[in-house]
Amino acid sequence: MAGEAKDLDGKVAIVTGVGSLKGIGAPTVRMLAGAGAKVVLADLAGSQLEETTRQLASEGFEVACRPVDISDEADVKALMAFTVEKFGRIDILDNNAACQGQAEDGIITELSVDLWDKIMGINARGAMLMCKHAIPHMIAGGGGSIINISSGTAHAGDFYATAYACSKGAINTLTKYVATQYGAQGIRCNAIAPGLIMTATLDIAMPKPMQEVFRSHSLTGKLGRPEDIAEMVTFLASDRARFITGQVIPVDGGIYAHIPTVVEVAALFKQG
Ligand SMILES: NC(=O)c1ccc[n+]([C@@H]2O[C@H](COP(=O)([O-])OP(=O)(O)OC[C@H]3O[C@@H](n4cnc5c(N)ncnc54)[C@H](O)[C@@H]3O)[C@@H](O)[C@H]2O)c1
């Protein structure tokens, strides 16, 4: 209904990692902006940041964009200054950008220090820098909500994505430290730990038999969609989540909620 108040009316958000329409970032921007927020999209220079922003603006959302390398402190400061100049304040930060899917990110004894530093430098340092430079603006505006996009990979061991998973573990801890240090100033900080989210990019990159393995371990029998994460971001950004802070919230179809052997043991029982 025209004129009806929305949850995020008057709020200004930054969402990083929106360099294409194919990931989790673009649906998140749609949902935040649909709830009334003005949104600054950020991603690396050379990504499709501007095309993505133009597309979302053409859908009627109030958006702007600014290239950023989240691992670069000067860039991050400039992104905050741009946002305040453009929209006047910062209320919501969705730390969605990440370096992921590196084939060489394997077992520890074969892991290169350069790759470890690169992934930690983008994912852990990047999230820290974004918090560091958003928080003063949020405090100036009376508070805010920070949402760090973590990963279920930080919850258990694997043979793949060692540095990536460790960087997400750092983000989980960062989340609790930010929530502790700035709660009294009206800042809530939470992390979302997605399970496998079938973005357009992953749907092409991941072989169907592999998708089926993940589906068989989903307690809902479904794979995740980008909108599942966008919903949780939008909720955590709003005052409806006013009593939730310092949490790492799985949005993963319950894949980490069950004992890993459940599927195989159930199959054995069925066989009799
Ligand atoms: N898709 C999944 O299954 C899944 C599962 C768990 C967690 N996640 C997390 O969700 C978030 C979004 O993932 P996605 O699947 O949409 O991936 P995506 O690759 O579409 O988005 C990540 C974006 O981050 C940007 N980025 C990388 N390095 C950057 C830097 N230094 N500065 C600024 N931007 C940078 C990339 O350019 C890219 O556009 C990530 O944090 C990812 O780790 C995704």
Side-chain angles (χ1 to χ4, degrees):
M1 200 191 299
E4 199 174 305
K6 294 180 183 163
D7 278 350
L8 302 181
D9 276 345
K11 306 276 187 196
V12 174
I14 298 174
V15 181
T16 63
V18 201
S20 85
L21 288 166
K22 294 182 177 167
I24 294 169
T28 302
V29 173
R30 280 195 184 99
M31 228 172 264
L32 290 170
K38 296 173 187 158
V39 187
V40 170
L41 289 68
D43 205 298
L44 290 168
S47 66
Q48 292 167 359
L49 176 64
E50 283 171 13
E51 296 91 309
T52 305
T53 308
R54 268 200 297 278
Q55 171 61 36
L56 295 175
S58 77
E59 294 172 21
F61 300 121
E62 196 160 357
V63 290
C65 70
R66 165 98 194 178
V68 70
D69 177 345
I70 57 167
S71 66
D72 182 307
E73 188 157 22
D75 255 19
V76 169
K77 269 188 191 169
L79 170 63
M80 302 304 161
F82 169 84
T83 305
V84 172
E85 198 181 310
K86 181 83 190 161
F87 291 138
R89 51 190 298 119
I90 302 172
D91 305 284
I92 298 157
L93 169 61
D94 177 23
N95 276 323
N96 174 70
C99 172
Q100 54 181 346
Q102 308 278 313
E104 318 78 41
D105 185 11
I107 58 174
I108 305 264
T109 47
E110 292 170 14
L111 196 57
S112 88
V113 170
D114 284 349
L115 187 67
W116 173 271
D117 286 350
K118 178 185 166 194
I119 293 174
M120 282 289 172
I122 294 173
N123 296 358
R125 185 171 76 203
M128 179 277 290
L129 286 175
M130 291 292 296
C131 291
K132 177 179 174 185
H133 293 289
I135 286 168
H137 294 290
M138 289 181 167
I139 292 173
S145 175
I146 298 174
I147 300 117
N148 294 322
I149 306 301
S150 178
S151 167
T153 58
H155 293 156
D158 203 340
F159 285 89
Y160 308 99
T162 304
Y164 170 78
C166 290
S167 74
K168 295 296 191 175
I171 284 174
N172 293 349
T173 305
L174 173 75
T175 298
K176 293 176 192 298
Y177 273 69
V178 170
T180 301
Q181 293 172 7
Y182 299 98
Q185 283 139 300
I187 293 178
R188 292 182 298 104
C189 183
N190 293 287
I192 297 172
L196 183 69
I197 302 298
M198 207 36 74
T199 59
T201 310
L202 257 187
D203 197 24
I204 294 167
M206 182 178 272
K208 298 292 176 221
M210 181 84 86
Q211 293 186 23
E212 280 315 307
V213 171
F214 279 88
R215 196 190 310 277
S216 74
H217 280 279
S218 166
L219 302 185
T220 64
K222 297 182 179 78
L223 295 174
R225 299 166 308 148
E227 289 74 13
D228 295 323
I229 305 305
E231 289 279 7
M232 182 57 83
V233 172
T234 307
F235 170 65
L236 290 173
S238 78
D239 288 341
R240 285 181 293 145
R242 57 188 280 277
F243 205 47
I244 303 173
T245 193
Q247 304 305 309
V248 180
I249 301 169
V251 177
D252 63 1
I255 193 164
Y256 292 98
H258 67 290
I259 293 167
T261 48
V262 156
V263 173
E264 289 80 3
V265 170
L268 287 178
F269 273 116
K270 252 190 211 154
Q271 281 171 20

Short mmCIF file of all heavy atoms in Angstrom, two decimals, residues 55-85:
data_model
loop_
_atom_site.label_atom_id
_atom_site.label_comp_id
_atom_site.label_asym_id
_atom_site.label_seq_id
_atom_site.Cartn_x
_atom_site.Cartn_y
_atom_site.Cartn_z
N GLN A 55 21.40 -1.66 -13.14
CA GLN A 55 20.25 -2.58 -13.23
C GLN A 55 19.33 -2.42 -12.02
O GLN A 55 18.11 -2.30 -12.17
CB GLN A 55 20.77 -4.03 -13.33
CG GLN A 55 19.69 -5.09 -13.22
CD GLN A 55 18.63 -5.01 -14.34
OE1 GLN A 55 18.97 -4.69 -15.48
NE2 GLN A 55 17.37 -5.27 -13.99
N LEU A 56 19.92 -2.36 -10.82
CA LEU A 56 19.09 -2.27 -9.62
C LEU A 56 18.41 -0.90 -9.54
O LEU A 56 17.25 -0.80 -9.12
CB LEU A 56 19.94 -2.54 -8.37
CG LEU A 56 20.49 -3.99 -8.30
CD1 LEU A 56 21.42 -4.18 -7.12
CD2 LEU A 56 19.36 -5.00 -8.22
N ALA A 57 19.08 0.15 -10.02
CA ALA A 57 18.45 1.48 -10.05
C ALA A 57 17.27 1.46 -11.02
O ALA A 57 16.22 2.04 -10.75
CB ALA A 57 19.47 2.53 -10.46
N SER A 58 17.44 0.73 -12.15
CA SER A 58 16.36 0.68 -13.15
C SER A 58 15.14 -0.09 -12.62
O SER A 58 14.05 0.04 -13.14
CB SER A 58 16.85 0.05 -14.46
OG SER A 58 16.92 -1.36 -14.29
N GLU A 59 15.36 -0.89 -11.57
CA GLU A 59 14.24 -1.60 -10.94
C GLU A 59 13.54 -0.71 -9.90
O GLU A 59 12.61 -1.15 -9.23
CB GLU A 59 14.75 -2.89 -10.28
CG GLU A 59 15.27 -3.91 -11.29
CD GLU A 59 15.97 -5.11 -10.64
OE1 GLU A 59 15.73 -5.39 -9.46
OE2 GLU A 59 16.78 -5.76 -11.34
N GLY A 60 14.06 0.54 -9.75
CA GLY A 60 13.38 1.50 -8.87
C GLY A 60 13.99 1.63 -7.49
O GLY A 60 13.43 2.32 -6.63
N PHE A 61 15.14 1.01 -7.25
CA PHE A 61 15.75 1.09 -5.93
C PHE A 61 16.69 2.29 -5.84
O PHE A 61 17.32 2.67 -6.83
CB PHE A 61 16.53 -0.20 -5.62
CG PHE A 61 15.66 -1.44 -5.64
CD1 PHE A 61 15.93 -2.49 -6.50
CD2 PHE A 61 14.56 -1.53 -4.79
CE1 PHE A 61 15.13 -3.62 -6.52
CE2 PHE A 61 13.75 -2.66 -4.79
CZ PHE A 61 14.03 -3.70 -5.66
N GLU A 62 16.80 2.86 -4.64
CA GLU A 62 17.68 4.01 -4.44
C GLU A 62 19.08 3.50 -4.09
O GLU A 62 19.35 3.13 -2.94
CB GLU A 62 17.13 4.93 -3.33
CG GLU A 62 17.80 6.28 -3.38
CD GLU A 62 17.01 7.38 -2.69
OE1 GLU A 62 15.88 7.13 -2.20
OE2 GLU A 62 17.54 8.50 -2.63
N VAL A 63 19.93 3.45 -5.10
CA VAL A 63 21.26 2.85 -4.93
C VAL A 63 22.34 3.73 -5.55
O VAL A 63 22.06 4.54 -6.43
CB VAL A 63 21.32 1.44 -5.59
CG1 VAL A 63 20.49 0.43 -4.82
CG2 VAL A 63 20.88 1.48 -7.06
N ALA A 64 23.56 3.54 -5.06
CA ALA A 64 24.73 4.18 -5.63
C ALA A 64 25.86 3.17 -5.50
O ALA A 64 25.71 2.15 -4.84
CB ALA A 64 25.06 5.46 -4.87
N CYS A 65 27.00 3.44 -6.15
CA CYS A 65 28.10 2.48 -6.00
C CYS A 65 29.44 3.18 -5.91
O CYS A 65 29.60 4.32 -6.34
CB CYS A 65 28.11 1.46 -7.13
SG CYS A 65 28.57 2.12 -8.73
N ARG A 66 30.37 2.43 -5.35
CA ARG A 66 31.73 2.93 -5.20
C ARG A 66 32.67 1.72 -5.20
O ARG A 66 32.50 0.79 -4.41
CB ARG A 66 31.82 3.67 -3.86
CG ARG A 66 33.20 3.95 -3.37
CD ARG A 66 33.62 5.35 -3.71
NE ARG A 66 35.05 5.50 -3.53
CZ ARG A 66 35.71 6.61 -3.80
NH1 ARG A 66 35.07 7.68 -4.23
NH2 ARG A 66 37.00 6.70 -3.64
N PRO A 67 33.68 1.72 -6.10
CA PRO A 67 34.63 0.60 -6.08
C PRO A 67 35.43 0.59 -4.78
O PRO A 67 35.74 1.65 -4.25
CB PRO A 67 35.56 0.89 -7.26
CG PRO A 67 34.95 2.00 -8.02
CD PRO A 67 34.00 2.72 -7.12
N VAL A 68 35.74 -0.58 -4.30
CA VAL A 68 36.55 -0.70 -3.08
C VAL A 68 37.32 -2.01 -3.12
O VAL A 68 36.83 -3.01 -3.63
CB VAL A 68 35.66 -0.65 -1.81
CG1 VAL A 68 34.81 -1.92 -1.66
CG2 VAL A 68 36.48 -0.47 -0.54
N ASP A 69 38.54 -1.97 -2.60
CA ASP A 69 39.22 -3.20 -2.23
C ASP A 69 39.16 -3.22 -0.71
O ASP A 69 39.80 -2.39 -0.05
CB ASP A 69 40.68 -3.17 -2.73
CG ASP A 69 41.45 -4.40 -2.29
OD1 ASP A 69 40.97 -5.13 -1.39
OD2 ASP A 69 42.55 -4.63 -2.83
N ILE A 70 38.39 -4.14 -0.15
CA ILE A 70 38.14 -4.11 1.30
C ILE A 70 39.40 -4.36 2.13
O ILE A 70 39.41 -4.09 3.32
CB ILE A 70 37.03 -5.10 1.74
CG1 ILE A 70 37.38 -6.53 1.32
CG2 ILE A 70 35.67 -4.67 1.20
CD1 ILE A 70 36.49 -7.60 1.98
N SER A 71 40.47 -4.85 1.47
CA SER A 71 41.70 -5.07 2.23
C SER A 71 42.57 -3.81 2.29
O SER A 71 43.62 -3.81 2.92
CB SER A 71 42.50 -6.22 1.61
OG SER A 71 42.96 -5.86 0.32
N ASP A 72 42.12 -2.75 1.64
CA ASP A 72 42.91 -1.52 1.55
C ASP A 72 42.25 -0.44 2.43
O ASP A 72 41.14 0.00 2.16
CB ASP A 72 42.94 -1.07 0.08
CG ASP A 72 43.77 0.18 -0.14
OD1 ASP A 72 43.52 1.20 0.54
OD2 ASP A 72 44.65 0.14 -1.01
N GLU A 73 42.98 -0.04 3.47
CA GLU A 73 42.37 0.85 4.47
C GLU A 73 41.95 2.20 3.87
O GLU A 73 40.86 2.72 4.20
CB GLU A 73 43.32 1.06 5.66
CG GLU A 73 42.65 1.82 6.80
CD GLU A 73 43.29 1.58 8.17
OE1 GLU A 73 44.48 1.19 8.21
OE2 GLU A 73 42.60 1.80 9.18
N ALA A 74 42.76 2.73 2.98
CA ALA A 74 42.42 4.04 2.39
C ALA A 74 41.13 3.92 1.55
O ALA A 74 40.26 4.80 1.58
CB ALA A 74 43.58 4.54 1.52
N ASP A 75 41.03 2.82 0.81
CA ASP A 75 39.83 2.55 0.01
C ASP A 75 38.58 2.46 0.88
O ASP A 75 37.51 2.98 0.54
CB ASP A 75 39.97 1.18 -0.67
CG ASP A 75 40.27 1.29 -2.15
OD1 ASP A 75 40.72 2.36 -2.58
OD2 ASP A 75 40.07 0.27 -2.86
N VAL A 76 38.74 1.75 1.99
CA VAL A 76 37.60 1.54 2.90
C VAL A 76 37.14 2.87 3.49
O VAL A 76 35.95 3.18 3.53
CB VAL A 76 37.98 0.52 4.00
CG1 VAL A 76 36.93 0.48 5.11
CG2 VAL A 76 38.16 -0.87 3.39
N LYS A 77 38.12 3.70 3.92
CA LYS A 77 37.78 5.02 4.46
C LYS A 77 37.05 5.85 3.41
O LYS A 77 36.07 6.54 3.70
CB LYS A 77 39.08 5.77 4.82
CG LYS A 77 39.55 5.58 6.22
CD LYS A 77 40.71 6.56 6.42
CE LYS A 77 41.45 6.31 7.68
NZ LYS A 77 42.69 7.07 7.77
N ALA A 78 37.54 5.77 2.16
CA ALA A 78 36.93 6.55 1.07
C ALA A 78 35.49 6.08 0.81
O ALA A 78 34.61 6.89 0.50
CB ALA A 78 37.76 6.43 -0.20
N LEU A 79 35.24 4.78 0.95
CA LEU A 79 33.88 4.24 0.77
C LEU A 79 32.94 4.81 1.83
O LEU A 79 31.80 5.20 1.52
CB LEU A 79 33.92 2.70 0.85
CG LEU A 79 32.57 1.98 0.93
CD1 LEU A 79 31.74 2.23 -0.33
CD2 LEU A 79 32.78 0.48 1.14
N MET A 80 33.42 4.89 3.05
CA MET A 80 32.58 5.43 4.14
C MET A 80 32.28 6.91 3.86
O MET A 80 31.14 7.36 4.00
CB MET A 80 33.28 5.29 5.51
CG MET A 80 33.64 3.87 5.88
SD MET A 80 32.23 2.75 5.86
CE MET A 80 33.06 1.15 5.76
N ALA A 81 33.33 7.66 3.45
CA ALA A 81 33.15 9.10 3.19
C ALA A 81 32.17 9.30 2.04
O ALA A 81 31.28 10.16 2.09
CB ALA A 81 34.50 9.74 2.87
N PHE A 82 32.29 8.45 1.00
CA PHE A 82 31.39 8.53 -0.15
C PHE A 82 29.94 8.31 0.31
O PHE A 82 29.02 9.04 -0.10
CB PHE A 82 31.78 7.48 -1.19
CG PHE A 82 30.77 7.32 -2.29
CD1 PHE A 82 30.78 8.18 -3.39
CD2 PHE A 82 29.80 6.32 -2.23
CE1 PHE A 82 29.83 8.03 -4.41
CE2 PHE A 82 28.86 6.18 -3.23
CZ PHE A 82 28.87 7.03 -4.33
N THR A 83 29.74 7.31 1.14
CA THR A 83 28.38 6.95 1.58
C THR A 83 27.76 8.10 2.38
O THR A 83 26.59 8.47 2.16
CB THR A 83 28.42 5.66 2.43
OG1 THR A 83 29.06 4.64 1.66
CG2 THR A 83 27.03 5.20 2.82
N VAL A 84 28.54 8.67 3.27
CA VAL A 84 28.01 9.76 4.11
C VAL A 84 27.73 10.99 3.23
O VAL A 84 26.71 11.66 3.41
CB VAL A 84 28.99 10.08 5.26
CG1 VAL A 84 28.55 11.32 6.01
CG2 VAL A 84 29.08 8.88 6.21
N GLU A 85 28.61 11.24 2.27
CA GLU A 85 28.39 12.40 1.39
C GLU A 85 27.14 12.18 0.53
O GLU A 85 26.33 13.09 0.34
CB GLU A 85 29.61 12.58 0.50
CG GLU A 85 29.67 13.97 -0.12
CD GLU A 85 30.89 14.09 -1.00
OE1 GLU A 85 31.99 13.75 -0.55
OE2 GLU A 85 30.72 14.50 -2.17
#
